[in-house]
Structure formats: C-alpha cells, structure tokens
C-alpha cells in the first residue's frame, strides 16, 4: 500500500505531524506549475520566493529521509495543471491512497474537493496545523449577530490562548487595545535599522522563468535576493525584529516615509503565509522578548503586533471562509472604472502614490497603511472596479494569497462587501496622508490647497466620492459627520471638486 501526499506551495510547515516519522510507503509531491504562475501577473520576487522556499522545503524533507517527488516548472514530466500532475504521480508511483492538507484558497479547495468526490482514489483531508482557529470558528463566534466586530474576536483569542492576560478577564496594561498609541508620524527622530536580508543568488530561477515565458512584474536583483525563504532564515528575521524593531513597531506602524521601505515592520508576512513560521510561535516569541525587556519596550509596541496576527490575520481568514465564493464578485458600491496604468509603473506626479507603488514594484512589499490609505484609497475614490484592484494586489505583494488579499482589498480597502469587514469605507482627503506620512513635502501638488490645478487630487476625489456614493451611506452612522460636512459645502466649491475629480478619473496619466 502506497500513499501520495500533496504539499502546496503555501504549506511549508516544518512542524506538521505528517513529518514526525519517516515511512517508506508515503510519497510526498510538490510542483511548480503554470496554473499558479499564470492566474494573475505576479511580482517576480513573489514567484522566486515561493519556488525557492518550496525547493528548500523539499530538500529538507529529503534530508529527513522522506520520499519526495518534485516537479520544477521546466520538468518535462510537469503537466502544469494540479490534478493532471496528481493523477500522473498516483499512476507512476502505484499509489492506493491520496492525502492532502486543506488549501487556504477557495479555488484550490474546490478543485481538490471535486477530485475527492469523484471517487478516483481513496482520499483523506488533513488540517494544515498552522492557524490558531479553524475555518468555521469565526462563523460560530458571530452566529446570530448582525454585525461582525474584530475587536470582540481579538479579545476572545487573547483569553483563549492566555496571551498578555493577568486573569482570565483582565488584560495586561489595563486595556485591550493600544491603537491610539500606534498612530505616530515618523519625524526622522529615531534610527531605523537596516532590514535583515540574506543576499542569495537566484539567477538560475530567474533565468528559468524567463525561458519558460512566465509573465511577471516588478524588479529583482537576482544575485542578492534578500527575502527569507527557509525556516532557519525566517527565525532569524523574527529574532531580528524582536531585538531591533519591536521597540518602535507600535509607534510607527501606520507611518509612511518616501525613503523608508520597511520602517519598523517585521517583514515576516511571507514566512507566515507560506507557513514557514506559525502565528502562535511568532506571537509567543515576541511576547517573551518583551517580558524580558520591559524596561525598554512599552506594552503598546507589542500589543499592536499581537493584534495584527491573532486578531486581524485570523479574523480575515475566518471572514474569507464565511463569505466565499460570493465575496469574490462583491461590488456593493457598483464601481467599474479601470485601474490606472501608473499602478504598474509608478509614473505619477502624486508623490504618495509614486512612492508606495515604486516601493511595491521594487520590493514586492508595502505595509498595511500604504496599501489601505494610499493605493487602496485612490482606487476607491476613483471608483475602480474591485476585480481589477484584487488582481493587482494579489500579484504585486510577496505575501499575497487570496484568503488574506481579497478580504483586505475587496472588503477592507474597497468596501465592495457593503460593510461586512469594515463598518465604513477607509477613504480620506490629502490631510490624513499628510498627517501620517512625509510624502506631501516632496509632492508636485499642494495638500493644503482644496481646489485648483496644483491642489492635492485626493481632496477633490474625496468630496466627489462622498457626493456620488452618498445614497449607499445614508443609514451608516459612522458616515453621518462626513455627509453632514458634504451637505453644508458651498455648491460652487462642490462643483469645482466634482469637475476636477472627473478629469482625474478620466485622465489619470495627466496626474
């Protein structure tokens, strides 16, 4: 009796119980496939990172004594389609059973469910043993509730795992959330350490992708590829974050600067989303380090980090499985404009967008506020089709896997779900961008000007959006103040805003 076990590219969990014992009757299968490189145009660094991580993981399993069949993208045996490859290996290895871990993307999950239900072979499904919640925990948590609130889920998670708790009801520091302390503008008054990198030569991978004709976007320095793609490297990045970045993480987690690609962010998202690191080990490591260095690190720094992982990350996964597949086509605000070409080039006079997009193209990375309040904000204000926004975000970021990408973009960023994830749209004029960033000082436009050719385009776009979409928000209590200001605005001023906004939307290349 032989069993084939499938390992997907984002299932690189070294600690999974599958690998506790070496069994000669078990064959592990991994494959680089055009099916995965081609469903969206991905950043070259994203493709390289996944393939590099997959190859390292396969080598690790082989070194442990496991039997591994690995198809590189250019392997002549590779059918480039998941089910075709599975059927081929099942036949070649004369397997009697098939096993796989639950995929985290709906499309792959459905593909494997259909295969299992076809009765082609005896099939067993396993958990990935990575997340701190199951797919359905969030649905059970909010059963009977009309509105979903992440904060209540986050508090439950803190209690459940006894993280930063004094008693089973009282959080350390006397409050659950230190978000008000996590909104500081970085004024260049603290030293930001250089990010932890590894400078690996991935030239062979890059050349293979070119030879195979894989379409990608963005830049890469193939001789000095810096992202962590092994568990050992990922653990070093985690330690580096604790030792050098945690001290100011919370302070500046929402800050933005044109010359700082990462600020105090951890750069752990790829390692976590590929499952090289687990969320539980990450938060426990960070909390333990904080406890040992409380005289230097304030609780607000660590709580903000823990909230992102056990709160927001787990919450988004739960929302994904609650809402799919309808979520993938949600367009509550009925937005249909195309995404401007400068999202692929960074060629715009708006400095905040130019910096955020170039950072994304150069590094396959931008932190959550750049994604939400710069690129996402502009896309929503210009009423861009959320499907186009999805594809861009899914492709450009190294950590973008649909369960975490689509919930943040179609839900949080574009409000296409009508408020299931965010109670109000995250839109702003230029004033918020100026408050949280150093972008406006070097901009072609003046953030202080409301109208006129040299006024910040976000100002007119903001008021035009509220006016165009106000019928969608008439019953939204959190939008009441903004709509009240809109209705009090001088009609001539509003008309100037709307005329300019329409020109920006129709002629984005001019801006």
């Amino acid at each position: 009796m032989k069993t084939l076990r499938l390992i997907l590219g984002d299932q690189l969990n070294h600690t999974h119980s599958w690998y506790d014992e070496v069994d000669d009757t078990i064959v592990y299968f991994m494959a680089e496939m055009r099916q995965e490189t081609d469903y969206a145009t991905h950043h070259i660094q994203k493709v390289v990172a996944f393939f590099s991580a997959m190859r390292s993981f396969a080598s690790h399993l082989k070194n442990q004594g496991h039997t591994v069949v690995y198809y590189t993208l250019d392997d002549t045996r590779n059918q480039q389609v998941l089910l075709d490859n599975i059927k081929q290996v099942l036949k070649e290895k004369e397997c009697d059973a098939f096993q796989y871990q639950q995929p985290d993307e709906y499309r792959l999950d459905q593909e494997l469910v259909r295969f299992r239900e076809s009765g082609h072979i005896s099939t067993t499904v396993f958990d990935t043993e990575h997340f701190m919640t199951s797919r359905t925990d969030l649905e059970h948590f909010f059963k009977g509730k009309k509105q979903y609130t992440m904060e209540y889920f986050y508090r439950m998670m803190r209690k459940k795992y006894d993280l930063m708790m004094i008693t089973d009801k009282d959080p350390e520091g006397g409050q659950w959330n230190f978000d008000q302390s996590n909104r500081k503008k970085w004024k260049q008054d603290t030293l930001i350490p250089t990010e932890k990198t590894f400078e690996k030569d991935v030239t062979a991978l890059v050349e293979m992708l070119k030879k195979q004709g894989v379409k990608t976007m963005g830049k890469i320095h193939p001789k000095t590829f810096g992202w962590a793609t092994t568990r050992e490297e990922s653990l070093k990045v985690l330690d580096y974050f604790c030792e050098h970045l945690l001290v100011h993480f919370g302070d500046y987690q929402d800050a933005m600067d044109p010359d700082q690609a990462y600020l105090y962010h951890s750069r752990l998202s790829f390692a976590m989303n590929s499952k090289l690191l687990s969320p539980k080990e990450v938060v426990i490591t960070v909390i333990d380090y904080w406890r040992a260095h409380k005289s230097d690190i304030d609780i607000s720094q660590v709580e903000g980090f823990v909230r992102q992982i056990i709160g927001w990350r787990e919450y988004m996964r739960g929302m994904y499985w609650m809402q799919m597949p309808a979520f993938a086509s949600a367009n509550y605000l009925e937005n249909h404009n195309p995404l401007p070409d400068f999202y692929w080039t960074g060629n715009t006079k708006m400095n905040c967008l130019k910096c955020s997009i170039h950072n994304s193209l150069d590094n396959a990375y931008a932190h959550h506020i750049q994604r939400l309040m710069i690129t996402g904000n502009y896309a929503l204000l210009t009423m861009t089709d959320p499907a186009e926004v999805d594809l861009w975000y899914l492709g450009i970021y190294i950590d973008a896997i649909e369960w975490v990408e689509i919930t943040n973009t179609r839900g949080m960023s574009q409000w296409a779900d009508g408020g299931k994830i965010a109670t109000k749209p995250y839109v702003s004029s230029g004033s918020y961008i100026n408050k949280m960033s150093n972008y406006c000082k070097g901009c072609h436009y003046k953030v202080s000007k409301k109208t006129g050719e040299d006024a910040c385009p976000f100002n007119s776009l903001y008021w035009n959006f509220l006016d165009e979409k106000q019928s969608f928000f008439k019953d939204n209590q959190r939008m009441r103040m903004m709509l009240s200001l809109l209705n009090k605005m001088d009609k001539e001023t509003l008309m100037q805003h709307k005329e300019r906004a329409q020109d920006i939307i129709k002629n984005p290349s001019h801006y």
Side-chain angles (χ1 to χ4, degrees), residues 174-410:
Q175 61 193 71
W176 290 99
N177 190 312
F178 289 84
D179 192 44
Q180 293 297 324
S181 303
N182 299 156
R183 301 174 184 174
K184 295 179 182 176
K185 181 174 182 173
W186 185 65
K187 299 179 180 179
Q188 303 180 2
D189 51 354
T190 60
L191 181 66
I192 299 176
T194 305
E195 67 273 11
K196 177 72 172 173
T197 60
F198 299 93
E199 300 196 347
K200 294 164 290 190
D201 190 339
V202 294
T203 304
L205 256 175
V206 173
E207 290 302 315
M208 181 197 72
L209 292 171
K210 287 181 181 177
K211 189 175 180 180
Q212 295 299 311
V214 176
K215 183 183 178 183
T216 60
M217 64 168 133
K219 297 178 182 178
I220 192 170
H221 300 288
K223 293 189 181 299
T224 55
F225 186 67
W227 287 96
T229 54
T230 69
R231 178 163 171 79
E232 292 74 23
E233 291 171 352
S234 301
L235 288 168
K236 288 177 182 177
V237 175
L238 175 57
D239 289 341
Y240 187 86
F241 171 69
C242 291
E243 294 168 11
H244 301 283
L245 303 171
L246 181 59
V247 64
H248 288 303
F249 169 78
D251 290 338
Y252 303 116
Q253 68 174 344
D254 287 2
M256 296 172 283
D257 185 85
D259 299 318
Q260 297 294 330
Y262 306 107
L263 287 105
Y264 290 94
H265 289 270
S266 69
R267 297 175 79 248
L268 288 168
S269 54
F270 172 78
M272 293 180 65
N273 291 356
S274 60
K275 301 183 180 57
L276 290 168
L277 297 179
S278 77
K280 190 174 181 181
E281 73 177 320
V282 168
V283 295
I284 288 175
T285 299
V286 169
I287 291 170
D288 286 348
Y289 187 88
W290 163 66
R291 291 201 192 287
H293 300 84
K294 277 190 173 183
S295 58
D296 302 315
I297 303 173
D298 190 79
I299 190 173
S300 64
Q301 317 296 346
V302 69
E303 187 278 322
F305 183 81
V306 170
R307 180 168 14 105
Q308 283 191 3
I309 294 176
I310 72 163
W312 202 242
R313 186 174 185 268
E314 296 283 333
Y315 183 74
M316 286 304 206
R317 177 177 177 255
M319 290 296 290
Y320 179 77
W321 288 107
M322 278 178 66
Q323 306 297 333
M324 288 295 283
F327 197 83
S329 58
N331 191 359
Y332 178 80
L333 294 176
E334 300 173 5
N335 291 334
H336 300 288
N337 289 327
L339 193 66
D341 289 343
F342 62 67
Y343 273 72
W344 282 268
T345 65
N347 296 332
T348 171
K349 291 181 283 189
M350 292 173 277
N351 200 43
C352 59
L353 279 162
K354 179 167 69 176
C355 290
S356 297
I357 292 169
H358 274 297
N359 192 26
S360 304
L361 291 168
D362 292 348
N363 305 302
Y365 175 86
H367 72 65
H368 63 289
I369 297 299
Q370 291 169 309
R371 301 186 199 194
L372 179 65
M373 298 308 300
I374 305 297
T375 52
N377 186 19
Y378 184 86
L380 181 53
L381 292 178
T382 54
M383 294 172 265
T384 302
D385 190 324
E388 293 203 20
V389 180
D390 272 342
L391 273 178
W392 186 79
Y393 277 96
L394 184 62
I396 200 166
Y397 293 120
I398 196 166
D399 54 17
I401 300 173
E402 191 185 63
W403 66 267
V404 70
E405 172 275 322
I406 199 171
T407 43
N408 275 289
T409 55
R410 200 173 282 255

Side-chain angles (χ1 to χ4, degrees), residues 85-115:
N85 278 333
I86 290 170
K87 291 173 185 176
Q88 178 171 280
V89 179
L90 283 169
K91 184 177 180 181
E92 285 181 359
K93 295 298 179 181
E94 298 180 337
C95 294
D96 308 285
F98 175 61
Q99 298 177 351
Y100 68 90
Q101 297 173 28
Q102 283 184 321
D104 287 311
E105 288 198 335
Y106 185 84
R107 64 185 176 88
L108 290 174
D109 183 72
Q110 292 302 294
E111 200 172 340
L112 288 166
V113 165
R114 287 192 293 271
F115 179 69

